[in-house]
Amino acid sequence: MTSLYSEVDLPHKPSDHPDWQESWVLVFRDPITGATGFLRTGAYVNQGATQTHWGMALPDGTRFRRHLLDRKLEKGDRTETTASSGTAKFSIPDMKYCRFEAWDDDAEVDLRVYDWFPSQDWSFVGGAYHGKLLGSIAGPEQATMGTSGHPESAGRLEGRVRFGNRVIDIENGLAYRDHGFGDRPHAVFRAARWHAGTVGPDMSYSLVSMMDEPGNLHKMGWVMLNGKRETIKDLHTVSSTLCDGYSVIGGWSVVKLENGEILRINVDTVDGVVTSTHFDNGGPGSSPAGIEALSIPRWNGRSGVCDFNMIDNPLRGEQPVSNTLMANCDVGLTKREFDPQWIRQ
């Protein structure tokens, strides 16, 4: 049986750039319990540092977040087929499925993703490179995106997660996974939206819109529809954000395909996880704080899982965020006080 996986899904040889990085991301949801989460394991290889970004949530407001940033890269952390960041690990056992593991006193993850299709790289939407794959070009456009390649996929999820003493076994969950590699120098861009997820085998997607520091707008992405990759003609993502300026409660994306079809994907957010490259909540020398909005996408009568990521930084500042209503800035196992349900009526 031919494997869906290839060398593009495994660890890559780094360039000489000091900010070359590689990471693997899992976004998951169990439809039975509503458990959802975000896990990233990666490394700035030439800086000798690894990173774990990890957040999970339950519908009742139970949440967990623990990042481990700038840990020393140790021998054995990166092999030809695995990558570890101390508290998280990615692997593809026998090239049959993707395994994500993470461990902490307050939480645990051991999940397997059985992809529905081979990894898909971003394509440019609009501009001179419209329709071209990110990995097929070089130069300023690629450098602006902070990656040389972004192979992604989605699939069925199984395994177990733990919140404190509560263990949840997952048999038929939904998962979206991401893998980015390349030179990623520090950039204080103005805004970004990354809406990436799946509603099942019929439709999965990754939709990126980003305004860089000088004010140039970039769009990228892909859509897999009924087993076929469709070319995106244009896209827009609209985030509904609370008064703290960071807490996303949902929104929608509209995608116009080259064949004339228009897709609208509506989103309800379960909880948010604050992430940044070098400090938990952002700060000088770290990327603008982003919100990994762990969410439920809805399309054509189906629901799934997505990261409805939002970064707003129009003044190009580098201060950390705090006191957010629905974007977790805390550490460890906590309970969210804010209840968004009454404002969704």
Side-chain angles (χ1 to χ4, degrees), residues 4-5 8-9 115 117-121 151-153 177 229:
L4 288 175
Y5 306 103
V8 75
D9 300 305
D115 290 331
F117 50 85
S119 295
Q120 304 295 308
D121 198 2
E152 307 168 339
S153 189
R177 64 171 184 82
R229 178 164 175 156

Side-chain angles (χ1 to χ4, degrees), residues 18 20 43-50 70-74 77:
W20 192 93
Y44 282 86
V45 178
N46 296 328
Q47 296 178 17
T50 69
D70 296 324
R71 168 188 167 270
K72 183 180 178 181
L73 180 67
E74 298 180 356
D77 281 345

Side-chain angles (χ1 to χ4, degrees), residues 95-257:
M95 300 298 279
K96 292 181 178 179
Y97 58 86
C98 292
R99 185 181 185 187
F100 288 84
E101 304 168 80
W103 44 91
D104 183 87
D105 289 345
D106 290 331
E108 191 175 350
V109 163
D110 190 350
L111 294 170
R112 300 175 296 280
V113 183
Y114 297 87
D115 290 331
W116 292 311
F117 50 85
S119 295
Q120 304 295 308
D121 198 2
W122 291 345
S123 288
F124 287 90
V125 177
Y129 295 109
H130 178 72
K132 292 184 179 295
L133 294 176
L134 173 65
S136 70
I137 71 162
E141 281 287 330
Q142 190 184 78
T144 297
M145 302 309 295
T147 180
S148 301
H150 233 269
E152 307 168 339
S153 189
R156 184 179 66 85
L157 180 80
E158 63 180 40
R160 67 191 293 268
V161 298
R162 177 175 62 85
F163 291 79
N165 294 324
R166 182 180 179 184
V167 176
I168 298 172
D169 292 311
I170 302 174
E171 293 185 0
N172 286 295
L174 292 160
Y176 166 89
R177 64 171 184 82
D178 152 87
H179 174 198
F181 56 91
D183 304 345
R184 187 173 292 181
H186 177 58
V188 187
F189 50 86
R190 299 188 186 193
R193 302 288 185 270
W194 180 46
H195 180 188
T198 183
V199 297
D202 292 345
M203 205 272 283
S204 302
Y205 56 92
S206 182
L207 311 172
V208 183
S209 47
M210 186 267 281
M211 181 170 285
D212 63 23
E213 188 168 1
N216 303 305
L217 182 62
H218 308 266
K219 294 182 181 180
M220 308 190 76
W222 54 266
V223 171
M224 286 290 287
L225 190 60
N226 298 316
K228 178 185 176 184
R229 178 164 175 156
E230 299 288 349
T231 302
I232 300 172
K233 185 175 183 179
D234 201 1
L235 66 93
H236 275 285
T237 294
V238 181
S239 299
S240 297
T241 307
L242 297 176
C243 61
D244 59 14
Y246 286 94
S247 295
V248 178
I249 64 167
W252 66 91
S253 287
V254 179
V255 184
K256 183 185 294 185
L257 303 179

